[in-house]
Amino acid sequence: MSATVTAHARFIVAEIDPRLYGSFIEHLGRAVYTGIYEPGHPTARPDGMRGDVIDLVRELDVPVVRYPGGNYVSAFNWEDSVGPKELRPTRLDLAWHTTENNEVGLHEFADWCDAVGADMMYAVNLGSRGLDAARNVLEYANHPGGSTYSDLRIKNGRKEPFNIKLWCLGNEMDGPWQIGHKTADEYGRVAHETAKALRAFDKSLELVVCGSSNAKMPTYPEWEATVLDHTYDEVDYISLHMYFNNKAGDTPRYLAESLKLDDYITSVAGVIDYTKAKKRSERNVYISFDEWNVWYHSNEQDRTILEGNDGWPSAPPLLEDIYNFEDVLQVGLILNTFIRRSNVVKIACLAQLVNVIAPIMTVPGGPAWRQTIFYPFLFASRHGRGKALDLAVDSPSYQVEGIGAVPGLDVAAVHAEADGVVSFFIVNRTAEPISTSIALEGFGKTARIIDHQVMTSADLKAVNSATTPGAIEPKPGSDVTVAGTTLTATFAAYSYQMIRVRV
Ligand code: AHR
């Protein structure tokens, strides 16, 4: 099989917002406790945060982390998470049927964000609470001082405001599983009024309103149309979520699912445009894809806890998917889709970051290790910043019922102009090698490979573990040839590759 790719310096999709490589930490399972926070761990800092995890998160160069939920936020009292630790209440978390002692809260998480070099994206509770709690936590977090809540923050040890710029107006409010679930009209009204109040405090905040939890929701896409009708002129982003699974054990279909992701983005972008025209609005609203990942490996083992048959455990292992090699390809395909749609998707959050459907796993008292999916995220996050290129790709394809023609070769490219580097992210989603020529046009007269990383595995189901953390790892590639500004390579069956070219 063979394919051709053409990249032209002037065919540009958009300047990528670095927050396309965001992530998410929820008070869920072991994400916080024995994940990012484990006092007494050999690498723990004085504040109890694990140094080994901080190092791995820094390696991923995550610019923004969504917090504190997720489903968790919809019955969360922000006041529980501040003040002297010994006075913080222990609560039952209705979303995950666990007990939360609030040992880690807003201040501790903000310090952790500073340590990993990320901004916080903070979600307010529009489920069991509403506008009043939202405006109060904003005053607590961002006002310099001289008011009840800002002075409380100062009393709690933090003089300078946290200056959180990005705020989520609730989480998945279309989902019947959500505490305080609402209809689109109910939610749209609350979100509008909350956004108005937050903006009255600070016009420069960036606000994210909830879109659909997934494209299979019966209310999708009417939900987006109704919610945006209420909120268009007050919000900056509409959030979308999507999780992928191969429960059917059908690899070609699994690896075609990113085309559905692309359709989902197209449809919601259409609803945004429709609403903008309807409102004669001058402003643009973009997509914040603030939860995405593969999620299914742990479903069975989580059943007992989630059905409430295990009491109310504290920080039990939950959603601890162990990712295989096939998931490397899926994560690469998802990231490629976001790069290609970066004109409309400005923020995306890999859900989640540590232990809970995560690229980073920890052993309590023991090591932290990289899951297979760590690597495609690492490469895109570190090298997928700059201008997303609008590539012409001619690839052989295969048919999937209900999806259509699926290109065997999936490619995204980013031009980091200041560095003079074009990075290609390539997935061969087929069982055959694909010989490919990549033409670089308009970049100059020479091209030199500065990095080529390859991920392949004879066993699509191979995984990493605490004892075999390097079973699936990228290896340097050496088989790309360059003639002038054309690259030629044969991309192995079921492979993920990154090629960086100095132009
Ligand atoms: O990321 C896990 C959960 O998935 C989140 O809490 C929720 O928003 C979504 O359903």
Side-chain angles (χ1 to χ4, degrees):
M1 293 205 290
S2 64
T4 61
V5 177
T6 307
H8 195 292
R10 273 189 268 141
F11 291 174
I12 295 159
V13 177
E15 181 73 33
I16 289 175
D17 186 324
R19 296 175 299 178
L20 201 65
Y21 308 111
S23 192
F24 177 29
I25 288 278
E26 176 166 4
H27 280 255
L28 193 190
R30 299 193 307 113
V32 174
Y33 306 108
T34 74
I36 64 169
Y37 176 77
E38 189 180 344
H41 186 272
T43 72
R45 309 184 325 165
D47 64 359
M49 296 296 179
R50 282 183 64 147
D52 55 352
V53 173
I54 289 174
D55 290 346
L56 287 171
V57 175
R58 288 189 74 89
E59 192 178 328
L60 288 177
D61 201 5
V62 174
V64 68
V65 184
R66 187 167 173 253
Y67 178 82
N71 294 343
Y72 173 76
V73 84
S74 292
F76 166 68
N77 298 324
W78 71 268
E79 300 89 339
D80 296 349
S81 78
V82 300
K85 286 193 180 187
E86 62 283 5
L87 298 181
R88 294 184 196 170
T90 294
R91 298 276 187 190
L92 299 182
D93 166 26
L94 303 174
W96 303 106
H97 219 279
T98 54
T99 300
E100 168 65 52
N101 67 12
N102 287 296
E103 204 175 325
V104 171
L106 181 55
H107 292 243
E108 295 77 21
F109 191 71
D111 289 344
W112 184 82
C113 284
D114 288 345
V116 300
D119 290 334
M120 195 191 316
M121 175 183 196
Y122 192 80
V124 298
N125 174 357
L126 293 191
S128 69
R129 300 190 74 186
L131 187 160
D132 213 36
R135 72 171 179 127
N136 291 343
V137 69
L138 173 62
E139 180 186 313
Y140 183 94
N142 283 11
H143 194 56
S147 69
T148 300
Y149 289 106
S150 57
D151 286 347
L152 183 59
R153 181 196 70 241
I154 294 166
K155 188 170 152 226
N156 288 337
R158 169 86 180 208
K159 182 157 184 333
E160 296 307 318
F162 294 113
N163 263 324
I164 303 169
K165 284 291 172 204
L166 191 53
W167 293 76
C168 303
L169 303 168
N171 174 70
E172 291 189 351
M173 298 307 302
D174 62 327
W177 59 85
Q178 209 67 224
I179 305 292
H181 164 233
K182 293 177 173 45
T183 65
D185 275 312
E186 288 166 348
Y187 172 65
R189 287 285 304 132
V190 172
H192 171 78
E193 291 301 327
T194 306
K196 230 171 70 187
L198 301 189
R199 285 231 188 277
F201 173 83
D202 179 356
K203 284 191 182 46
S204 74
L205 297 179
E206 293 184 88
L207 304 180
V208 186
V209 74
C210 293
S212 294
S213 304
N214 61 71
K216 290 187 186 142
M217 296 300 291
T219 45
Y220 163 79
E222 194 51 42
W223 173 275
E224 278 77 2
T226 306
V227 165
L228 283 177
D229 203 36
H230 284 288
T231 60
Y232 193 89
D233 284 319
E234 298 292 351
V235 300
D236 303 285
Y237 305 94
I238 183 156
S239 86
L240 297 183
H241 296 174
M242 184 167 176
Y243 290 99
F244 297 73
N245 74 75
N246 189 12
K247 283 186 188 164
D250 179 346
T251 300
R253 169 171 285 279
Y254 178 52
L255 298 181
E257 292 279 319
S258 58
L259 274 70
K260 289 196 179 165
L261 167 65
D262 196 71
D263 285 350
Y264 191 18
I265 293 168
T266 301
S267 302
V268 174
V271 178
I272 293 171
D273 287 347
Y274 161 81
T275 313
K276 180 178 178 182
K278 181 178 170 187
K279 297 202 169 271
R280 306 327 185 227
S281 179
E282 300 271 302
R283 36 198 328 277
N284 291 319
V285 169
Y286 296 100
I287 292 173
S288 168
F289 219 108
D290 46 42
E291 286 186 33
W292 67 268
N293 203 349
V294 175
W295 176 11
Y296 76 103
H297 299 287
S298 60
N299 290 171
E300 268 318 301
Q301 76 210 29
D302 288 347
R303 204 175 290 279
T304 314
I305 294 177
L306 297 184
E307 286 176 357
N309 297 324
D310 206 14
W312 297 88
S314 288
L318 274 176
L319 279 63
E320 298 206 0
D321 275 43
I322 299 301
Y323 293 113
N324 58 32
F325 176 73
E326 195 176 62
D327 302 326
V328 170
L329 305 178
Q330 183 67 281
V331 165
L333 291 163
I334 296 166
L335 287 163
N336 279 1
T337 306
F338 290 147
I339 291 171
R340 287 191 295 261
R341 306 311 303 271
S342 55
N343 55 331
V344 52
V345 181
K346 295 294 174 189
I347 300 168
C349 299
L350 170 64
Q352 298 190 10
L353 188 52
V354 184
N355 287 334
V356 171
I357 41 175
I360 299 168
M361 298 300 290
T362 68
V363 178
W369 52 279
R370 299 170 184 80
Q371 293 239 46
T372 60
I373 62 165
F374 184 94
Y375 298 103
F377 188 85
L378 171 81
F379 292 135
S381 173
R382 295 201 84 93
H383 303 301
R385 302 186 189 202
K387 291 187 164 61
L389 296 175
D390 191 3
L391 303 174
V393 179
D394 188 5
S395 162
S397 59
Y398 62 92
Q399 288 292 322
V400 171
E401 205 188 319
I403 294 183
V406 181
L409 200 69
D410 188 280
V411 191
V414 178
H415 184 197
E417 232 170 337
D419 305 334
V421 174
V422 180
S423 300
F424 290 90
F425 307 97
I426 300 151
V427 178
N428 179 352
R429 45 156 81 95
T430 75
E432 303 291 327
I434 303 180
S435 63
T436 306
S437 81
I438 302 178
L440 286 152
E441 295 179 2
F443 294 96
K445 291 201 173 71
T446 58
R448 182 167 57 87
I449 310 285
I450 55 168
D451 194 7
H452 180 197
Q453 298 290 331
V454 180
M455 295 186 75
T456 52
S457 172
D459 177 7
L460 290 179
K461 307 295 178 189
V463 299
N464 289 344
S465 70
T467 48
T468 57
I472 298 291
E473 271 182 342
K475 306 256 178 330
S478 56
D479 54 350
V480 182
T481 57
V482 186
T485 55
T486 298
L487 322 180
T488 309
T490 296
F491 297 121
Y494 290 130
S495 65
Y496 171 89
Q497 323 227 356
M498 179 188 70
I499 301 173
R500 303 186 65 229
V501 188
R502 169 106 41 222
V503 288

